Structures are given as C-alpha cells and as structure tokens.
Amino acid sequence: MMRDDMMKLAKRYPQLLLPIREGERQTEEYQESVLGGKPLEREPDFACPEEIELSACDTPAGRAETVYFGLREDFVHAYRALAYRCEPADIPDSVGAGYIGGLINWEKIHTHRDEYLAAGGTATTAISPPGASACPPRNGRASPSPSANTTS
C-alpha cells in the first residue's frame, strides 16, 4: 500500500500512530486521539509500510475491509494497537489474522459531521460533549431516573 493509503488508515484509527507500551491507553494523547478524534501529526512506526495492503469486498453482511501486513512485526504492532489499545500483549505465532470490532472510525465521523454542518446543521448539535445525552428530554422534561419508584 502506498504511504498515503497508510496515513488514510491511520486517520480512521489514530492508535496505529501511537507507540505500544505499558500504560499507553491512559495517556492524554491516547485519550484525545483515539477516544476524542483529535488528529495526530506523525509518521506511522511500521517496519515496512509499503508491504501493507488495504482491500475491500462486498459480503452479504455489507462491505468488509481487510488489511494485509507483509511483515509479521507490522501485523503484531497493528494488532496490539487496535485490539489491545496500544498496550503490550503476547500475540502467539499461531495468530495470523483477526477480526477486531468496536473500533471508532474517526474519518467516517468527521465526514458525517462535515456533511451535517454543510446541510445547515449547527455545531452545537453536531457532536455532544462527553457524558452528555445525545437525545433530547422526552416531552420537554427529563426522563425519570432508573432508580425512581414508579409504583404507588
């Protein structure tokens, strides 16, 4: 894959640009980029990025993307970054592929946000702040708390 394609992949999943080390997911940089969508300006730390191939195919369940790593050490780095949140983990030699779900695709989120704003949406409703409910109160009032006693 070309270096531009690797950077496109890293824009979706910024953890690919972060180091693999104990406690990395607790760092401010990890929190801001992986969980908050703040772009990182750095080069990927892969041994051979030109041997990484991104491809996609249509399946009955929808479009699926795959990434092929020409070097085992690049596969292990990416697997640790994505599946283990940039933390060191033993990846047995028997692991040569994996499905990793639940990743935040920041490129897709930013694209949808930009389309929403271009269509006349407002920035204050485009993305809710962390911890805030994205849903407005029902009937103009707050929903009862789950612990509220609703029996008489």
Side-chain angles (χ1 to χ4, degrees), residues 28-143:
E28 184 176 336
E29 185 175 45
Y30 182 94
Q31 300 287 320
E32 289 178 349
S33 62
V34 177
L35 303 177
K38 181 179 177 183
L40 291 173
E41 300 297 329
R42 66 168 58 157
E43 291 294 312
D45 188 26
F46 288 94
C48 199
E50 61 275 2
E51 289 192 30
I52 299 172
E53 297 176 28
L54 178 65
S55 62
C57 63
D58 291 318
T59 72
R63 192 155 184 82
E65 288 191 333
T66 60
V67 183
Y68 171 80
F69 295 91
L71 290 180
R72 170 101 182 136
E73 69 182 273
D74 286 342
F75 167 76
V76 169
H77 178 88
Y79 202 80
R80 287 175 176 152
L82 298 170
Y84 292 95
R85 301 181 185 132
C86 295
E87 299 283 339
D90 290 330
I91 310 297
D93 288 341
S94 60
V95 176
Y99 169 81
I100 303 170
L103 298 174
I104 301 170
N105 182 336
W106 285 107
E107 181 181 52
K108 186 180 282 189
I109 291 170
H110 291 146
T111 297
H112 287 300
R113 181 201 56 208
D114 293 346
E115 290 171 357
Y116 173 77
L117 294 173
T122 62
T124 57
T125 60
I127 297 178
S128 298
S133 173
C135 301
R138 293 186 298 188
N139 301 326
R141 52 197 164 112
S143 301

